[in-house]
Amino acid sequence: MRARITILGGCGGWPEPGRACSGFVIEHEGYRLVLDLGYGTLPRLLGLLRSAVADGLDAVVITHEHADHMVDLHGLFRARWLGLTDPPTIALYAPESVLGKVVALEDPEAAEHVDAVFSWLPLPAGPYEVGPFTLESVALPHHVPTAGVRLTARGLTIAYTGDTGPDPALVELGHGADLYIVDATHPTPPPPAPGQPRLLLSAAEAGELAAIAGARRLLLSHFWPGTDRELAVTEARRSFAGEVYLADEGTMIELP
Ligand SMILES: [Zn+2]
């Protein structure tokens, strides 16, 4: 059975007009999970599910606490909490700080409701069995704790960097993946700043990484608003010979 990934959003930082920040729905063997829920992703997710209360969503994976990757998790919480009576929990895999952000947007007594809406397990940790997938995760360098994630099912591997700087672990994360989703905030790396760690990736580096990892397809994402996306593809193709996709809202990719 083929899996399908639908792009909810591909902007980094904040969404461009008509677009959304990071979000990817993966559907496989009747199971639906979403990777990240940045600004503007929730209405698109609900549209895909054809449910105002996100019925049909089985799991959420959030890489880190930055709002462009998780703020619509709060909207999802409200849809389940306010829109349903005694809803079945949705599995949530995320760093603990993500839960804290959702709670912080509510009245103090909302914390217990967050626990009732989501059944939470920490990242990076595991591996976990998530529907038809095994979810593995790895800590990556960023401004805050962040997890790269790798989902493996029979005959299918999808890996996702989330939001990270360069790191040797990224090769293993995407090793042999059918689809490697890599943040490509800018087309090429910024000039080096002495003493400052690199905490973002570029499209050029994403291409190099996908090539070294032996990934089959590369999905470029997390574009800073105003980025020339075609230039990003050109930069990635300098080193990666496989298919390169752009994280444009509404794009669907069938795998493997
Ligand atoms: Zn971030």
Side-chain angles (χ1 to χ4, degrees), residues 13 63-69 142-144 146 162-164 199-200 222:
T63 55
H64 67 297
E65 66 177 86
H66 279 159
D68 55 333
H69 293 257
H142 196 47
H143 303 271
V144 295
T146 193
D163 196 358
T164 180
L199 299 174
L200 298 169
H222 200 261

Side-chain angles (χ1 to χ4, degrees), residues 225-240:
T227 292
D228 180 340
R229 296 186 180 206
E230 292 307 320
L231 177 60
V233 171
T234 300
E235 290 296 337
R237 284 196 174 133
R238 288 186 199 281
S239 37
F240 183 63

Side-chain angles (χ1 to χ4, degrees), residues 93-137:
Y93 304 86
E96 187 167 16
S97 53
V98 169
L99 276 182
K101 295 272 178 175
V102 173
V103 170
L105 285 166
E106 282 298 340
D107 299 337
E109 62 266 27
E112 61 183 284
H113 299 295
V114 174
D115 290 341
V117 166
F118 299 117
S119 55
W120 168 73
L121 286 165
L123 290 182
Y128 300 113
E129 298 306 315
V130 182
F133 295 103
T134 300
L135 186 164
E136 297 169 282
S137 56

Side-chain angles (χ1 to χ4, degrees), residues 26-254:
I26 298 169
E27 298 171 274
H28 188 46
E29 295 184 359
Y31 195 87
R32 290 193 193 88
L33 73 85
V34 61
L35 293 174
D36 279 346
L37 280 170
Y39 298 108
T41 52
L42 182 63
R44 296 167 197 267
L45 172 67
L46 299 179
L48 188 72
L49 296 169
R50 296 185 186 162
S51 166
V53 293
D55 280 337
L57 182 66
D58 297 297
V60 181
V61 178
I62 302 284
T63 55
H64 67 297
E65 66 177 86
H66 279 159
D68 55 333
H69 293 257
M70 63 67 62
V71 81
D72 276 17
L73 180 66
H74 177 258
L76 176 63
F77 160 67
R78 284 204 151 199
R80 303 292 289 178
W81 172 40
L82 302 175
L84 291 167
T85 306
D86 203 14
T89 58
I90 292 178
L92 170 63
Y93 304 86
E96 187 167 16
S97 53
V98 169
L99 276 182
K101 295 272 178 175
V102 173
V103 170
L105 285 166
E106 282 298 340
D107 299 337
E109 62 266 27
E112 61 183 284
H113 299 295
V114 174
D115 290 341
V117 166
F118 299 117
S119 55
W120 168 73
L121 286 165
L123 290 182
Y128 300 113
E129 298 306 315
V130 182
F133 295 103
T134 300
L135 186 164
E136 297 169 282
S137 56
V138 61
L140 294 172
H142 196 47
H143 303 271
V144 295
T146 193
V149 296
R150 179 178 171 96
L151 295 160
T152 308
R154 205 164 357 126
L156 174 69
T157 299
I158 298 167
Y160 176 41
T161 61
D163 196 358
T164 180
D167 192 275
L170 291 167
V171 174
E172 193 181 341
L173 182 71
H175 177 70
D178 298 288
L179 182 71
Y180 200 3
I181 310 168
V182 181
D183 56 297
T185 306
H186 303 290
T188 53
Q196 299 283 320
R198 290 277 320 284
L199 299 174
L200 298 169
L201 289 175
S202 65
E205 289 164 307
E208 292 165 13
L209 183 56
I212 297 166
R216 288 179 62 192
R217 303 174 188 83
L218 171 63
L219 172 56
L220 298 172
S221 183
H222 200 261
F223 303 106
W224 200 251
T227 292
D228 180 340
R229 296 186 180 206
E230 292 307 320
L231 177 60
V233 171
T234 300
E235 290 296 337
R237 284 196 174 133
R238 288 186 199 281
S239 37
F240 183 63
E243 270 182 279
V244 180
Y245 297 89
L246 286 168
D248 287 329
E249 290 74 9
T251 295
M252 290 180 176
I253 304 169
E254 300 237 321

